[in-house]
Structures are given as structure tokens and as C-alpha cells.
Amino acid sequence: MNNFTSESPLQAADLDASGLRVKIIGVGGAGNNAVDRLKIDQLDQVDLAVVNTDTKTLSVSLISEKVMLGRSITRGLSAGGEAEIGRQAADVDRHLIEQMVNGVDLVFLLAGLGGGTGSGATPLIAEIAEASGALVVAFVTMPFTREGSRRLQQADEALVKLREHCHAVVSLPNDLLLQQIDEQATVMEAFALADEWISKGVRSIWSMLFMQGLINVDFATLKSAFTCRGGKTLFGTAEGEGEHAVADVIRNLDLCPLLHLPENRYLRKADRLIVNITGGTSLTMTQVHEILQHVTDRFGSKEHTVLGAVIDSELGDKLTLTVIGTTDVGTSHKPGKRYAPVPAANAASQAPQPKAKPRQAEPIALDPDAELFETKVEAPELDEHEIDDGPVDPGKQSEFDFPRLEDNRGLFERTEANLYEGEDLDIPTYLRRGIKVAVEVKKG
Ligand SMILES: Nc1nc2c(ncn2[C@@H]2O[C@H](COP(=O)(O)OP(=O)(O)OP(=O)(O)O)[C@@H](O)[C@H]2O)c(=O)[nH]1
Ligand SMILES: [Mg+2]
């Protein structure tokens, strides 16, 4: 057996009262780190697991369920940046993956695409989880442009495969994340921000299922929102506070940078929406309906929306909103389209930013009639290095030029000593050192 530690099957005690089994699986270095963060956040009633081809990374994870893949192929030294090795590692130990997802109703997959394990193993894990009958939702990061075209291509290919087997795939471009924080921010700070976005998405779905609220959502209802398969997934979050919390939430959602990615240029509304509103004990149905009205007008339709309204007594007069929209397989991903910088939009309200100050930014001018998902009309093919010509801040454009990696590591130069110990990105284990940031724990 190649398991890093032998894992006993889940026990009855692992099940919550309703018998629902939820598991969050972090794949590869970035995924392992993201799950470690979730453990720090203390997500109750959910099983956590980490999967890797890299013994060293697994050994430092805080998670007890560790699954080592492909030891016979990689000797525990990672997939070395090769997605095909990552895929083979998962394939050779697919029985371990089957055990890991056996009987689980909802599987979250977390990974950084671009490296070997995340890109190669995650699609296969998604396929196995789907085959076992689970609802499969993935949150993945896309590499920085400056990580080089090979990683970008691997990530694009993995994303296409993932969409075939997941009910929803939320992709977070690292370039975008970096733009949301201070110019002097390090790669590690961008990764910490990525982990925060992932945590928000996972936590939001979790809270709909497990926290008490004005409108509770059972798993069957939630599942009905994920009937669309293979298409793009819309994902946005916003917060508001005080007297004008509803207006703030609505405005901040429109400014959420994740809703302004270039891949959403040929857009229509989502086929299905999941809207989760969390507020303090003073949250009212009037507030909920006001927000719902705006969200459905903008992103979908009320008929095809699953709404959750959760009470978190620690929130006081704060409101948080998460919107997830799914589309059909016809809206297939176009590999090669790259993220180009958009003006940073209200980053401060979107996620905590350790040590980093938000950049000065103009709000994005939104066309209220613009639609938000790719239509089935094919978008023009873009060259691998072509930047989308969406809204761009010319002042920052040069920062996202595409030098050859070997000429200039740009942003990564500042972190080389800490992150890579003289190695290049193909040994990305070291990216994780020291990026865990303690965050406030909120329990239902
Ligand atoms: N959010 C986040 N992203 C990361 C982190 N480390 C790396 N990344 C990103 O994720 C991509 C994949 O890196 P890893 O997860 O380390 O790679 P891997 O999947 O373990 O693959 P191999 O090490 O080649 O087997 C990188 O190209 C980065 O873009 C991290 O700690 N957090
Ligand atoms: Mg690795």
C-alpha cells in the first residue's frame, strides 16, 4: 500500500446529524496548503484530506488524512512540474482515491493548477468522485503569467478536464489576486489571498448546509443548482456593514474583481444560481429579498436560484453575500486565453490582506445590461500569449508583460531565496513555507 499514513475508513461519528458527508480534498502543494488554512479556520462537520506525490509536503500538513499517490513512480519526490506524472501517480493509486471519496456526498477539490500533481491528479480525482456519485466542486488557482507558458498551458488543459467531471469549477487567476494587493506584495501574500477566496467559497456552501438561518438549504436542494455540467462557474463575494449594508453589498458585488475576468466577455446569465446571504441576528427577510432581487436581475433568474440566508451572531450589523452561478457544458473553456489586469475593484472589502495595502483604483464602469457568461457563440481564438483587450489600466500594463522566465523572474525574484532555495518553480513545495496566516474563527 502506498498510503503515506494508513487511513481508516470514515466512522459513523464522522457523519453529521443529517448523515451528509462532506469532504474537502487538497491536491498538490497549493491544495494541501489551502486545506491547512481551512483547518486553521475550523470548519466543523467536514472531513479534510490532503493528497500529494510529495512526501515532504504531506509530512508537514496539519491534516490527519494524508494520501500519498504514485510513490512507485515519483519515489515521494513530487511530480516535478509534470502533469502527466501527476496523472499517472493518481492512476496507479486510484484505489486509494476511491477509498477516499467512497460514500461522500459533497467533495470539494482544492488545487493550484500549473504544477504536476495539482494539474495531473485533480481531474482524475474529480472523475473518480463523480463516478462514486458525489457532487464535486473545485476551487483552483491559475498560475501567474510569469510562471511561464508551460505551466499556463498545463493549467489550461487541466481546467478543461476538470470541467468535464466537476459540477462547478471556480478558477482564480493568480495575476488577478496579485493585482488586488499592494504593489510590493510578495507571491506569498498573493497565495494567502487566494486561500482566503477559496475559504470564502467553501465556507459559504458549508454554512448554507450546516448553519441555522432564515432560509436553510438541504443538500438535495443545493444539488439541484448544480445540474449544469462542464461550463464556466461564476463566483463572486461581497460584504456590507451598518445602516447601508444592503446597498454596500450590492455595490461591492458589482465591483467584485472575480466577476470581471476577460473570460467572461462573451457573456450571458448563469443557468443556475446559488445565493448565500449571511448576517447577524438582525438580518431581515426584506434585506434578503432586496439583495436577491438585484442578484437575480443581474446574474440569473429567481426560478433557477437556490437561496440560503444564514445567521451568524458574531457578524453584528455586517452582511456577506456569495454568488455561485453554473452554466452548461456548451460554454466550454477556451484554452490559451490569459488574464489581463483590470482596475482593482474594492479589494479591501473582498478579502483580508495581511501586511498589504489595497492599491489605488478607479471603480469599474459597469454596463448594467452586459451579460455575465459566455454564450455558445465561439469566442475568437487567442494566441497563448495574447492578452485579452478588456479594461486595462495602462499605468500598470507593463507590469504584466511576458518576459521569458529565464530572462526575468519579475515578481518571483523578490522571493527566490525564501521560496525556492535556489530552485525554480518546478519544485514549488517551498512556496508554502510560512504563508499560513491565523484568521478569526467563526463557528455556527
Ligand atoms: N494559493 C496558492 N497557490 C500556490 C501555492 N504554491 C503554489 N501555488 C500555485 O499553484 C501552482 C502549482 O504549485 P504546487 O501546488 O506547488 O504544485 P503541485 O501541484 O504540488 O505539483 P508538483 O509539485 O509539480 O508535483 C503554482 O504554479 C502556483 O501558481 C500556495 O501555497 N498557495
Ligand atoms: Mg508539489
Side-chain angles (χ1 to χ4, degrees):
M1 217 195 224
N2 289 313
N3 250 7
F4 180 66
T5 60
S6 65
E7 297 293 332
S8 53
L10 290 169
Q11 304 298 314
D14 293 320
L15 309 182
D16 75 299
S18 66
L20 180 66
R21 293 175 67 170
V22 180
K23 195 164 211 174
I24 302 173
I25 301 172
V27 189
N32 288 186
N33 185 60
V35 176
D36 276 354
R37 276 292 299 276
L38 285 169
K39 183 172 173 79
I40 293 169
D41 287 0
Q42 292 196 357
L43 214 55
D44 294 336
Q45 294 168 287
V46 173
D47 296 310
L48 305 177
V50 284
V51 177
N52 215 325
T53 58
D54 174 352
T55 319
K56 204 167 161 188
T57 304
L58 274 183
S59 68
V60 297
S61 171
L62 305 172
I63 308 301
S64 58
E65 184 173 354
K66 304 173 200 272
V67 178
M68 176 72 196
L69 295 177
R71 190 194 289 277
S72 58
I73 296 173
T74 70
R75 291 183 296 127
L77 297 172
S78 95
E82 296 291 338
E84 177 52 23
I85 302 287
R87 191 199 63 76
Q88 285 174 17
D91 196 30
V92 78
D93 284 330
R94 60 163 59 224
H95 62 289
L96 298 177
I97 300 169
E98 283 162 3
Q99 277 171 22
M100 185 172 53
V101 299
N102 183 30
V104 180
D105 301 292
L106 170 58
V107 170
F108 288 103
L109 295 176
L110 315 185
L113 299 185
T117 306
S119 312
T122 315
L124 192 56
I125 297 171
E127 186 180 340
I128 293 169
E130 179 205 25
S132 80
L135 180 68
V136 188
V137 178
F139 287 84
V140 295
T141 58
M142 302 301 283
F144 291 103
T145 299
R146 291 191 173 188
E147 291 187 56
S149 59
R150 197 168 140 271
R151 274 186 175 254
L152 294 166
Q153 191 182 339
Q154 281 197 154
D156 280 337
E157 288 168 5
L159 191 58
V160 171
K161 287 183 192 150
L162 261 184
R163 284 183 170 142
E164 285 169 18
H165 297 291
C166 293
H167 297 83
V169 182
V170 176
S171 64
L172 307 166
N174 281 340
D175 284 347
L176 173 73
L177 297 165
L178 192 66
Q179 199 197 2
Q180 298 306 303
I181 49 181
D182 189 82
E183 283 172 8
Q184 300 307 314
T186 64
V187 168
M188 289 194 291
E189 285 166 333
F191 287 161
L193 185 56
D195 291 344
E196 278 304 314
W197 285 106
I198 291 169
S199 171
K200 280 185 175 198
V202 171
R203 183 169 286 277
S204 174
I205 295 176
W206 167 83
S207 69
M208 286 170 93
L209 293 169
F210 292 109
M211 286 177 80
Q212 288 305 307
L214 296 180
I215 303 172
N216 290 310
V217 176
D218 62 27
F219 184 60
T221 309
L222 184 72
K223 208 169 177 179
S224 71
F226 287 106
T227 49
C228 303
R229 299 297 298 279
K232 293 185 174 178
T233 303
L234 171 152
F235 177 69
T237 70
E239 290 176 3
E241 193 168 4
E243 202 188 334
H244 303 292
V246 170
D248 283 357
V249 156
I250 289 172
R251 191 185 58 249
N252 288 336
L253 183 70
D254 281 346
L255 295 173
C256 177
L258 296 174
L259 298 174
H260 295 277
L261 300 176
E263 67 174 18
N264 292 338
R265 286 190 70 213
Y266 302 90
L267 302 171
R268 65 179 167 86
K269 291 180 175 178
D271 293 325
R272 303 274 168 162
L273 278 180
I274 298 153
V275 178
N276 186 38
I277 298 161
T278 307
T281 46
S282 59
L283 179 67
T284 66
M285 283 306 286
T286 309
Q287 288 179 310
V288 169
H289 281 296
E290 208 178 319
I291 295 169
L292 177 69
Q293 185 68 49
H294 172 82
V295 171
T296 52
D297 285 352
R298 182 109 179 82
F299 300 107
S301 71
K302 271 191 187 152
E303 298 71 54
H304 293 117
T305 295
V306 169
L307 173 68
V310 173
I311 303 291
D312 180 346
S313 56
E314 292 179 33
L315 274 188
D317 61 354
K318 259 195 199 159
L319 286 180
T320 69
L321 167 66
T322 306
V323 179
I324 298 174
T326 58
T327 52
D328 214 349
V329 71
T331 59
S332 63
H333 175 71
K334 301 290 293 180
K337 256 180 158 179
R338 293 265 64 82
Y339 167 75
V342 296
N346 197 33
S349 74
Q350 303 294 336
Q353 296 158 27
K355 287 191 260 163
K357 287 177 252 140
R359 293 185 184 189
Q360 293 298 312
E362 294 297 318
I364 298 169
L366 291 172
D367 172 2
D369 297 324
E371 295 189 310
L372 281 174
F373 263 89
E374 189 174 16
T375 62
K376 293 178 185 182
V377 177
E378 290 288 281
E381 283 285 354
L382 292 179
D383 177 80
E384 186 181 71
H385 280 178
E386 191 173 350
I387 301 181
D388 184 279
D389 59 358
V392 169
D393 177 350
K396 298 194 177 84
Q397 180 65 60
S398 59
E399 194 180 328
F400 286 88
D401 278 350
F402 302 108
R404 291 184 306 143
L405 195 60
E406 57 274 32
D407 293 341
N408 177 7
R409 292 167 52 90
L411 173 80
F412 285 82
E413 277 172 349
R414 293 203 301 269
T415 52
E416 187 175 22
N418 289 334
L419 296 176
Y420 307 110
E421 299 187 352
E423 304 293 330
D424 76 10
L425 270 171
D426 280 341
I427 311 178
T429 300
Y430 303 103
L431 289 174
R432 265 88 53 198
R433 298 288 179 259
I435 85 162
K436 297 184 186 69
V437 179
V439 296
E440 198 183 343
V441 174
K442 287 200 169 60
K443 285 189 192 171

